[in-house]
Amino acid sequence: MNATPAIVTEGLGKRYGAKWALRDCSLAVPTGRVCGLVGANGAGKTTLLRLLAGLSRPSTGRAEVGGQVPRDDSEFLREVGYLAQEIPLYRRWSAADHLRMGAAMNAEWDDPWARERLDGLRIPLEQRVGTMSGGQRAQVGLVLALAKQPSVLLLDEPVAALDPLARREFLGTLSEAVAERGTTVVLSSHLVTDLERVCDHLVVLADSRTVLADDLDDVLATHRLLVGPRRDISAIERDHVVLREERTHRQLSVWVRLRGPLVDPNWDVQELGLEEIMLAYLSLREPAAAGPQPVEVTA
Amino acid sequence: MSWLLWRQHRAQMAIVAGLLAVFAIPVVVTGRHLSDGLVACRASGPCGGLLDHYNAMLTSVNLTVAVPLIFGIFWGVSVIGRELETGTATLAWSQSVTRRHWVRVKLLWLFGTTLVASSALTVLVTWWSNTRNALQESRFSGLPFDLENLSPVGYSLFSAALGLLAGVAWRRVLPAVATTIAGFVGVRMIVELVVRPHYLSPVYRLLPMTGPRDDPPGSWVQNNEMVHNGRVIGGNIIGVPEACSQGIGKVDLNQCMNAHGYRVRITYQPASRYWTFQWIEFGIFAALSVVLVGAALVVLRRRDV
């Protein structure tokens, strides 16, 4: 695995009028990683992906994707695959028409692979995509994005509208293609189980800011729930990052990201699942208080 | 890119080509009858009734005044606006072809096909109207000016550009269509009623009250007034001078008024200015098209997808 990040952003922000859709987003995704992008609705996931795809220009900060600044230039565009949330396709065209379009508009188009892939998924090439199921359309969209052989693939909630079986097939196609080619993927999703299945890296956005960007194993290894009798937690706050605390009249629960070994033996330390970790971040009142996390390039 | 355009717009092009062909058949058939008839009746006598049996055809030809709108609504709005509405613009823009190139090729298609189709139509209509013009010498004024030669091409380009801008600005087909129709009709009326009469300052001619009062042939008569010793008499009811008011017939009245210094003054654009007016009309709408295309490009660049 290459240690050079495929995606780097520094203070990236996007403002529409007076409203910030994305603010102060700094992250790095190492090459070859499959990165889950998580955040509440309106947290800026779509905005971030569009900025990375070069479909939108940042108001502040900068981004680099595959060593290039996202822009309207075929040198850049050929390196990036992008699949929008609504999976736009020409409804009256067949899948074969879309493949022909891809071949006409991309220099490095892997047509045999695309046809084989669609065959394998039993998607009829000559059927209009408007009459296909949502799962089939999503597969066609994904195959189109992959057949141009991008080095970075950006997927905006591609499985949100799919049933569990279609979701599994979609993610199967994705994992397989990505494993073959070493493509770097950023995949936004609400569905934690999907993320756990395919991702090895995690970025969490809350209130238009990055609150977490790290290796998934690291994330799982460093987040803990501490439970114990009520007491002062300033020592914990000094050494670690407190995400959330909950007090009942006798008991105290603290969600923390450990920054080192936990010295106080009086805590009952519990491991946290990905979903609980994400909920802890998404319910942060003031994200700035807990982070911004330093950018760490872990490979 | 050319394959994409062909695949995307072949249906639209086929429909317009089909409509043109369907329109061309009666135009050519009746047009030949009319021109033969004109030659025949010129040899034998007056041709006044020649057009009497061609009312349906006359109406059809007159209706082509609305054709430029079709280019705006069906081509201009949809060429980019519909792709923005359905999100397929994002699909096109995530291929390796740049947005700039995609927009350029789309514009080339829009204005190329509009130019070809509207030119074909204007050739048909202008050729068919030869007989009408020979009989009525009316191509400079009213509807015929809008139907023949260069002006319909200018209107078509303008309509396409207006549809393009509306589609890009609204990102929705329906309001863009409504905007295109309203804008097209509005601008056409303003230019026709307010601006066009002043392209060149008109010529005045005083005619005696007696004798023939034929308009100068092929000219566009803009006004027709009574003047007395060089002073325009306003209003519709003209006071008859006392000397002429007592018991005389119409001929005598005219002679009497003529003798008292009354004249008819016509305000008109001479027939020789027809092509100047056609070029000015075309130029105005072509220039408006360029402005609208520029605005559409700015809107596309300013706003994110």
Side-chain angles (χ1 to χ4, degrees), chain A residues 95-119 125 143-144 146-149 181:
Chain A
D97 285 332
H98 283 92
L99 294 187
R100 254 170 253 141
M101 176 199 78
M105 294 178 76
N106 295 285
E108 292 161 62
W109 179 258
D110 195 345
D111 209 54
W113 177 86
R115 283 171 189 278
E116 193 182 307
R117 195 61 238 169
L118 291 176
D119 267 354
L125 278 177
V143 166
L144 280 177
L146 282 166
K148 71 181 277 201
Q149 309 194 60
R181 298 177 180 164

Side-chain angles (χ1 to χ4, degrees), chain A residues 253-274:
Chain A
S253 306
V254 188
W255 283 257
V256 291
R257 177 165 205 187
L258 302 175
R259 287 263 171 250
L262 188 67
V263 283
D264 188 344
N266 295 321
W267 289 103
D268 173 19
V269 181
Q270 299 174 9
E271 296 200 351
L272 285 168
L274 187 54

Side-chain angles (χ1 to χ4, degrees), chain B residues 142-143 146 155 187-197 199 220 281 285:
Chain B
L143 200 52
D146 305 344
Y155 304 153
V187 172
R188 275 275 280 111
M189 279 176 65
I190 289 168
V191 170
E192 179 149 355
L193 301 176
V194 181
V195 186
R196 194 194 294 167
Y199 289 170
W220 173 23
E281 183 92 356
F285 280 90

Side-chain angles (χ1 to χ4, degrees), chain B residues 207-210 244 253-263:
Chain B
L207 298 173
M209 296 286 290
T210 54
C244 302
L253 175 66
N254 281 346
Q255 267 172 354
C256 179
M257 289 181 73
N258 203 45
H260 282 82
Y262 288 88
R263 297 287 184 276

Side-chain angles (χ1 to χ4, degrees), chain A residues 41 122 125 147 155 175 180 182 186 230 246 264 275 280-281:
Chain A
N41 290 327
R122 296 179 306 284
L125 278 177
L155 306 171
S175 311
E180 276 169 28
V186 180
R230 286 187 67 151
E246 231 176 64
D264 188 344
E275 180 150 20
Y281 277 101

Side-chain angles (χ1 to χ4, degrees), chain B residues 8-144:
Chain B
Q8 255 186 323
H9 300 298
R10 63 187 182 187
Q12 291 169 317
M13 290 192 277
I15 288 169
V16 167
L19 288 176
L20 268 174
V22 166
F23 182 66
I25 294 165
V27 163
V28 170
V29 171
T30 61
R32 292 186 64 161
H33 281 175
L34 280 170
S35 57
D36 292 350
L38 186 67
V39 173
C41 76
R42 277 271 159 86
S44 63
C47 294
L50 188 58
L51 280 165
D52 287 355
H53 301 295
Y54 293 92
N55 274 333
M57 207 52 221
L58 259 174
T59 309
S60 309
V61 165
N62 285 345
L63 281 177
T64 61
V65 72
V67 166
L69 260 180
I70 291 178
F71 299 120
I73 293 169
F74 290 104
W75 289 359
V77 167
S78 75
V79 69
I80 293 181
R82 193 158 57 119
E83 297 227 37
L84 293 173
E85 180 170 8
T86 59
T88 47
T90 309
L91 176 66
W93 295 349
S94 38
Q95 308 305 313
S96 308
V97 168
T98 62
R99 256 197 258 186
R100 287 191 309 276
H101 183 64
W102 182 83
V103 169
R104 259 203 306 273
V105 173
K106 286 258 182 185
L107 292 188
L108 211 62
W109 172 82
L110 174 64
F111 290 103
T113 47
T114 300
L115 192 63
V116 169
S118 64
S119 301
L121 182 71
T122 193
V123 164
L124 283 172
V125 169
T126 306
W127 175 78
W128 190 90
S129 302
N130 277 337
T131 308
R132 165 156 80 174
N133 292 333
L135 292 174
Q136 301 174 346
E137 293 179 336
S138 58
R139 68 173 185 168
F140 201 165
S141 56
L143 200 52

